Amino acid sequence: MKTDQLDKIIQNLRRNKHVLGATFQLSLNNEIHNFSFGNLNEKSRFYVASINKLVTAVLILRLVREEKLHLDDLLCNLLPENYWEGLHTWKGTDYSKSITLKHLLSQSSGLPCYLVDKMPDGSRAMDLFLKGNDQSWPMEKVIQAAKLIKAKFPPGTKGKAHYGELNYRLLDEILLAKTGKQIDELGEAVFQELGMLQTAFLHKIDTQEYVPIISKYGVLSIEKYAESTRHEIISTSGDLMLFLKAYFEGAFYPKEKLASLQIWNRIFFPFKYGIGIQQFYIPWFFSPFKKIPPLIGHCGSVGSVAFFIPEKNAFVTGTVNLAGQPQLVFQTLIKMLNKI
């Protein structure tokens, strides 16, 4: 591996006028390499976006490991009626009582996403966020909005998944119901356990303590949203590496059972979703002369990544810190993989 070539790939991100900085940590055969530029470096704290779903997932999986929860447990038996009654209707049939813990973890519930799916009036909450309109989304508002958006398919439909924030908001509520503790309190215990000293929940720290979140419209403010969800996370590439390696070493769920979580359903190209984990894949016909191995882990909407590449015995974490252009970080990762 030539680190100068990898560094050049990262530096080329400067060509995008909206990218103010980038940082990546690569662990290859247990050797750590850092690459960065601009307003981000290996010590910078940044918003991880949907990588937080891995944190929620491992907290649930720990309870499954301890047999305090089971993947086949029904949502209707885990939360009060106001969370699930009338939540999922597909072609005139109410499937709300058929949703399981596994469906929520694997994004295969068929439930809509209150952030990215269109409301009946054609509006999308995510569009407002990208334009700098911060919004509070308490659980009552989430449930109300979800009932106005059509479900995507019956729960557990073979091969199907629909990416959505709602599934994981419900998982947060299940954690609270089973443990009596909020997602941020449970998450902080994991961070302390792993020595993730620079990782925190966004609503608990000042905006000056992390690099501003950027979109093509400028700086994004999500303080109201973070206060309402309690699960938005700020971290560093190094801390994410600690978490990612702990996951694959079996810290949260038995190592010998991790493969059972990798039952992939198509979610949107080029992603698939397993049980609490995501896969990025490029079919061979898109790259016939240079195979791109699958990446397993999770990414976030701001160009944040935390992936294990089994075929390379490599881990990569980091961010380009730019919302609304998800292709950018994966174009970069593909170039990096071609050099290692």
Side-chain angles (χ1 to χ4, degrees), residues 63-214:
L63 294 179
V64 172
R65 183 188 67 188
E66 296 165 3
E67 297 189 348
K68 295 176 181 177
L69 282 172
H70 300 86
L71 292 178
D72 292 331
D73 286 347
L74 292 168
L75 172 63
C76 63
N77 292 334
L78 296 171
L79 292 177
E81 281 188 12
N82 57 299
Y83 285 95
W84 54 263
E85 187 177 28
L87 189 61
H88 188 306
T89 301
W90 171 255
K91 294 185 177 181
T93 300
D94 190 339
Y95 289 95
S96 304
K97 288 187 175 182
S98 301
I99 299 170
T100 67
L101 191 66
K102 181 180 177 181
H103 293 148
L104 298 174
L105 281 167
S106 60
Q107 306 273 17
S108 61
S109 67
L111 290 170
C113 179
Y114 64 92
L115 288 180
V116 300
D117 290 332
K118 288 184 178 180
M119 296 292 289
D121 63 2
S123 65
R124 293 195 326 149
M126 184 59 75
D127 293 335
L128 295 175
F129 276 113
L130 290 174
K131 292 178 181 179
N133 186 352
D134 188 14
Q135 311 156 53
S136 178
W137 277 88
M139 203 62 197
E140 298 81 4
K141 181 180 176 181
V142 168
I143 298 298
Q144 183 181 25
K147 290 179 179 180
L148 296 175
I149 308 171
K150 291 182 179 179
K152 303 302 176 180
F153 47 81
T157 299
K158 186 176 180 179
K160 287 193 174 184
H162 181 72
Y163 191 83
E165 189 75 1
L166 174 55
N167 290 312
Y168 277 71
R169 291 294 297 272
L170 289 168
L171 289 170
D172 289 348
E173 295 298 321
I174 290 170
L175 285 168
L176 176 59
K178 294 299 290 187
T179 69
K181 297 179 180 180
Q182 296 278 3
I183 179 66
D184 50 358
E185 186 179 357
L186 294 169
E188 284 172 345
V190 170
F191 303 154
Q192 292 174 9
E193 173 187 328
L194 298 181
M196 298 168 63
L197 304 180
Q198 299 303 312
T199 302
F201 285 89
L202 188 151
H203 66 285
K204 292 190 172 184
I205 61 176
D206 190 271
T207 55
Q208 304 299 317
E209 296 182 58
Y210 58 91
V211 176
I213 309 164
I214 302 297

Side-chain angles (χ1 to χ4, degrees), residues 253-270:
Y253 199 63
K255 189 173 183 179
E256 65 274 13
K257 292 185 177 181
L258 290 178
S260 69
L261 304 177
Q262 297 172 26
I263 302 171
W264 306 115
N265 292 312
R266 292 186 181 87
I267 199 157
F268 47 77
F269 185 81

Side-chain angles (χ1 to χ4, degrees), residues 23-55:
T23 185
F24 292 93
Q25 184 168 111
L26 173 67
S27 174
L28 182 63
N29 298 320
N30 291 319
E31 289 187 8
I32 298 294
H33 307 272
N34 290 291
F35 307 93
S36 59
F37 78 88
N39 68 344
L40 283 159
N41 58 54
E42 63 188 83
K43 296 182 179 180
S44 298
R45 304 170 87 187
F46 54 84
Y47 176 48
V48 308
S50 281
I51 295 174
N52 63 10
K53 290 180 174 60
L54 268 181
V55 175

